[in-house]
Structure formats: structure tokens, C-alpha cells
């Protein structure tokens, strides 16, 4: 009996050792390579290219970067990290303004090479892995099938990060946010299990992912979207004005937005580059309908209140080409701060004008201070604030201030300008769009999620009870809930 007990003890110890033995980097590399992925250690010549996003103000150095090829590769990478007592960060397209997807001393799970995509013509649903960029999504959905869904407007922004935080482009005013059109997600949880989230399965997780998916609930590896037939071409105008007409132009834009149909989307921008005597100002007017009808709406900006544009360019092209030819953020150092304007009145317009006129002057054309006003009205706002975890459904104008520069000697100047500007606009603002995260926010959870935040903490405790997916702005666990 004593011999049997000893043997049993030995078997138990060996089984425990087997369960808890760490997966080595060499073993991980062999298995990831076999699945068509890639492991990029710090010694790899491609390491720097893989770790940087567009904001070079962040110089994070992860332990290793793993470019996964499928959901099993994500599980393997989680196993490697967890059995070696390491945390992970998750990157899709690297578009985070605070480089959230690549964090120092962590294993980066890089989903950018996961690009499988398919279309079900019966259900009108496109299934895509997280690594596809929106321009790749539209190349498939529009050019091959004549359908689309709201998504990103920058060519390089990817499916994963944008959808989980909301996601709006010209199509959103008619169809809602990208996250509103998500019908199912495949998620790898911290315990390495794969679950489905939808209205029918794990519906609480599904609610949380649609707007707070950056908060650390799990790793979303596949998305399924409702899609809609699109026009072969769309009308879009790009209009520039003299700075002396700034107040009249923004007043007209705001007044027009109060009664325009949902088929219109507006984007207003003002910027100063280098040492320009005055900032520039421009408006994009997009019509989501037959392209021949766009002029009757956007043409109203050709002449009003004694104002004439300096340029009025009309483009007729497919929506794929609209995104393909869009502008990506430049690979520079940058600051981003934003909020939703509660109104645009004379005081707000003058405050914006004064702040832009106070923007920095530098010797270099690639140094820029900018304000972007994104219209996020129409179908984005026709749902309750708790329809999903995306809460910003009251005010349509999303105001985003940006500063972009090269050279650390300009850091303090641009940081002071954007910080002061953002503070002065606070009186007229509410909330912060979580797809423009700001790591200097003291009350970031209230700004991103507002009244939906307590529920998110409860859901976090259910699906990540050990809080493994934790980082500076991850959602914490509500205590004693499950």
C-alpha cells in the first residue's frame, strides 16, 4: 500500500508539473510558424517596424511580438504569456492615439495578419477576422458584392479597434455605427476558451464589446456585420474658404446640420501648418444616395451670407475609392484630445477661432495644429444611450483637437497648446469618444462610458474574473458580483 501511495504521489506531482510547465519561446515560435504566423523577438530586424504605430511620441518596447494567423495561434500566445507570468497587449491595426496595442514588457498579440473574409448573400452578413483594414473590407464587400457597412474612413484603420470603440464614417448617419451593425463576435477569453457573443449567446458580453471592447473583456478575433447595398458612385465635395469667413462658415455648417437629411454627412476641419499667417478651413459634404442628387444639398455651400469658397471640388466615385484615397495620420509625434460639443453657438465658434489663431508657429510644414469636427448624428443618435455600451448618443458633433510634429523640441509647445485648448472647450463639451483615447484623463471611465460604466464592471468580473486583461485604461472588476 505504501508503494502504491508513493507511486500515486509521483504521478500527481508529474501531472501538476506538466500542467504548469511554461511554454518556451522556441516552442511557441515553432508552433506559430507551423500555423503560418510569425514571432518577432527584440533581436529581429523587423521588431521596430512591428512595434510602432503612427504616434512616435510613444516608444514602447514589448517583450516579444506575435503575429497570429488564426484563433488557435491567439490561444497559443496567451498560453505562452500566462505560463511565463507575462501580460499581453492586443494590436489590430496600430491606430491607437496612445499606442495602447503595443505596451512595454508585454507580449503583443498582433492580429494584423488575420485577414480571412467571406460573405453570405442570403443573410447579407460579412464575416471578417480582426486584421483586415477597412479599405480591404470595402475592396471585398463593395468591389466584389456591392455591399458595405459603416466603418473607418482612414485607409489604414483596421476592423478590430475601430469597431470595438464605436466606428463612424460617411455611412453611419444612415446605418448607425460600425458596432451597431455587429451581429456576432468570436472572443478568446483570459482562460483561453473561445466563445461566441451575440444577442442570443453571451448577450451581456456582446453588449459590452460594442463600445467598450477596448476595456479588457477578451480578444475579439472575428466579426460578423450586417451589410447594405451601396450606390456605384457617391457625390462628395471638398470646399475651402478664407480664414476671414471662419465664423460665417461654421455658423452655416451648424445651421445646415439641424435640418439636413440623414443622407448627408459633414466633416469640418481647420488647421495651421508651419508658420502660416492664418489657419486654413475646409468642409467635406457627402451625400449617401444617388450621386446626381448630392448637389441640391451640398451646393448650398457654394454661396451664402456673402461668403464664396476659394475652392469647390466635386468627386463622383465608389465608396471604396473614397476610403482608399482618404487621409491617414502621419507617422509623427502627436497629441489627441476630444469631446462632444453640447452646442455650437457664437461663443463656441469664437473660442475655436481664438484657439486656432493661438496655435504654434514653427519653421516646418510637417508640424500641424488641427481641429476636426465630425458629424455623428442621424442613425447614430436614434438609439438609447444604453442600446450598447457606446453611450455618446445625445450630441452629434465630435470635436477632436490634434497636434502633430517632428522633433522633441516642439513637444512642450504643442502639448501646452492642445491642453489649454481642450480645457477651455470643456464648458461646451460632454464625454470623450473612446476611439480617441487620452491617457492624461483623470476620470477616463466616466468620460468614455458614463452611466454605462457600472454595468461594464459587472460584466468584466464575469468574463475576466482574475483581471488578466488589465492595463492603464482597462475596466476594473466590480467586487462580489459573481
Amino acid at each position: 500500500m505504501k508503494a502504491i501511495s508513493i507511486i500515486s504521489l509521483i504521478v500527481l506531482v508529474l501531472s501538476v508539473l506538466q500542467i504548469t510547465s511554461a511554454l518556451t519561446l522556441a516552442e511557441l515560435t515553432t508552433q506559430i510558424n507551423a500555423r503560418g504566423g510569425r514571432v518577432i523577438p527584440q533581436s529581429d530586424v523587423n521588431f521596430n517596424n512591428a512595434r510602432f504605430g503612427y504616434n512616435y511620441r510613444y516608444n514602447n518596447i514589448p517583450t516579444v511580438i506575435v503575429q497570429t494567423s488564426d484563433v488557435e495561434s491567439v490561444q497559443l500566445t496567451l498560453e505562452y504569456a500566462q505560463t511565463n507570468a507575462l501580460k499581453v497587449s492586443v494590436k489590430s491595426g496600430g491606430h491607437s492615439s496612445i499606442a495602447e496595442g503595443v505596451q512595454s514588457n508585454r507580449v503583443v498579440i498582433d492580429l494584423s495578419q488575420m485577414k480571412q473574409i467571406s460573405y453570405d448573400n442570403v443573410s447579407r452578413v460579412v464575416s471578417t477576422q480582426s486584421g483586415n483594414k477597412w479599405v480591404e473590407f470595402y475592396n471585398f464587400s463593395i468591389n466584389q458584392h456591392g455591399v458595405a457597412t459603416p466603418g473607418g474612413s482612414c485607409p489604414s484603420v483596421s476592423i478590430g479597434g475601430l469597431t470595438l470603440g464605436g466606428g463612424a464614417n460617411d455611412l453611419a448617419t444612415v446605418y448607425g455605427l460600425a458596432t451597431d451593425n455587429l451581429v456576432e463576435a468570436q472572443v478568446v477569453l483570459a482562460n483561453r476558451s473561445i466563445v461566441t457573443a451575440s444577442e442570443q449567446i453571451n448577450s451581456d458580453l456582446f453588449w459590452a464589446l460594442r463600445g467598450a471592447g477596448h476595456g479588457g473583456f477578451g480578444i475579439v478575433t472575428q466579426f460578423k456585420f450586417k451589410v447594405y447595398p451601396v450606390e456605384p458612385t457617391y457625390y462628395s465635395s471638398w470646399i475651402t474658404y478664407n480664414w476671414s469667413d471662419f465664423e460665417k462658415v461654421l455658423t452655416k455648417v451648424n445651421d445646415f446640420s439641424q435640418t439636413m437629411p440623414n443622407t448627408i454627412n459633414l466633416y469640418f476641419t481647420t488647421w495651421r501648418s508651419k508658420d502660416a499667417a492664418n489657419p486654413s478651413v475646409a468642409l467635406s459634404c457627402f451625400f449617401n444616395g444617388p450621386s446626381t442628387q448630392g448637389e441640391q444639398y451640398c451646393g448650398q455651400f457654394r454661396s451664402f451670407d456673402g461668403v464664396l469658397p476659394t475652392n469647390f471640388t466635386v468627386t463622383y466615385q465608389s465608396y471604396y475609392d473614397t476610403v482608399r484615397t482618404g487621409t491617414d495620420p502621419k507617422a509623427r509625434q502627436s497629441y489627441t484630445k476630444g469631446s462632444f460639443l453640447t452646442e455650437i453657438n457664437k461663443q463656441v465658434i469664437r473660442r475655436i477661432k481664438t484657439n486656432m489663431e493661438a496655435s504654434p508657429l514653427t519653421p516646418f510644414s510637417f508640424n500641424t495644429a488641427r481641429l476636426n469636427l465630425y458629424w455623428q448624428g442621424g442613425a447614430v443618435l436614434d438609439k438609447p444611450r444604453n442600446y450598447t455600451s457606446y453611450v455618446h448618443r445625445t450630441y452629434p458633433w465630435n470635436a477632436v483637437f490634434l497636434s502633430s510634429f517632428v522633433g522633441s523640441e516642439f513637444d512642450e509647445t504643442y502639448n501646452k497648446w492642445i491642453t489649454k485648448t481642450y480645457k477651455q472647450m470643456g464648458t461646451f463639451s460632454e464625454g470623450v469618444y473612446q476611439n480617441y483615447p487620452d491617457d492624461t484623463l483623470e476620470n477616463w471611465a466616466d468620460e468614455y462610458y458614463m452611466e454605462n460604466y457600472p454595468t461594464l464592471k459587472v460584466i468584466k468580473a464575469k468574463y475576466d474574473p482574475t483581471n488578466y486583461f488589465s492595463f492603464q485604461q482597462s475596466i476594473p472588476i466590480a467586487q462580489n458580483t459573481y
Side-chain angles (χ1 to χ4, degrees), residues 72 157 186 404 479:
E72 290 80 12
V157 69
Q186 180 188 74
S404 177
Q479 301 300 316

Side-chain angles (χ1 to χ4, degrees), residues 350-365:
R350 287 171 183 165
R351 180 66 56 83
I352 293 172
K353 184 173 185 284
T354 300
N355 284 326
M356 288 305 304
E357 288 175 339
S359 59
L361 302 173
T362 77
F364 305 112
S365 59

Side-chain angles (χ1 to χ4, degrees), residues 1-15:
M1 291 295 293
K2 186 175 182 179
I4 294 175
S5 298
I6 293 172
I7 293 172
S8 299
L9 180 60
I10 292 172
V11 170
L12 178 61
V13 169
L14 289 174
S15 64

Side-chain angles (χ1 to χ4, degrees), residues 181-334:
N181 289 281
L182 184 65
V183 296
E184 186 177 295
Q186 180 188 74
V187 190
V188 181
L189 300 180
N191 64 8
R192 304 200 288 274
S193 65
I194 302 171
V195 300
T196 297
S198 68
E199 291 284 7
Q200 293 75 37
I201 306 170
N202 298 313
S203 58
D204 52 352
L205 177 62
F206 188 56
W207 179 87
L209 291 174
R210 291 176 295 159
H214 303 153
F217 296 95
I219 302 172
V220 182
T221 53
Q222 185 182 64
F223 298 80
K224 293 186 178 182
F225 293 100
K226 289 186 294 185
V227 291
Y228 309 89
V230 293
E231 300 287 338
T233 60
Y234 287 96
Y235 172 104
S236 180
S237 56
W238 179 254
I239 316 161
T240 60
Y241 297 93
N242 289 310
W243 180 249
S244 57
D245 292 322
F246 174 85
E247 293 185 44
K248 288 183 178 180
V249 173
L250 186 48
T251 298
K252 170 67 175 177
V253 169
N254 184 57
D255 290 345
F256 178 80
S257 72
Q258 305 306 305
T259 58
M260 69 185 186
N262 288 354
T263 48
I264 295 291
N265 188 51
L266 300 175
Y267 161 65
F268 178 88
T269 183
T270 173
W271 70 97
R272 172 184 264 156
S273 298
K274 197 178 177 182
D275 55 357
N278 292 306
S280 300
V281 58
L283 172 70
S284 169
C285 184
F286 177 90
F287 180 68
N288 187 350
S291 58
T292 55
Q293 299 177 19
E295 181 66 21
Q296 72 181 85
Y297 297 103
C298 299
Q300 296 181 41
F301 292 101
R302 289 186 180 274
S303 176
F304 57 89
D305 197 19
V307 175
L308 295 174
T310 58
N311 182 64
F312 195 111
T313 301
V314 175
T315 302
Y316 300 93
Q317 61 185 6
S318 74
Y319 198 66
Y320 163 72
D321 284 327
T322 296
V323 174
R324 181 183 60 82
T325 58
T327 302
D328 274 324
K330 304 299 186 292
R332 302 170 184 165
Q333 296 160 278
S334 63

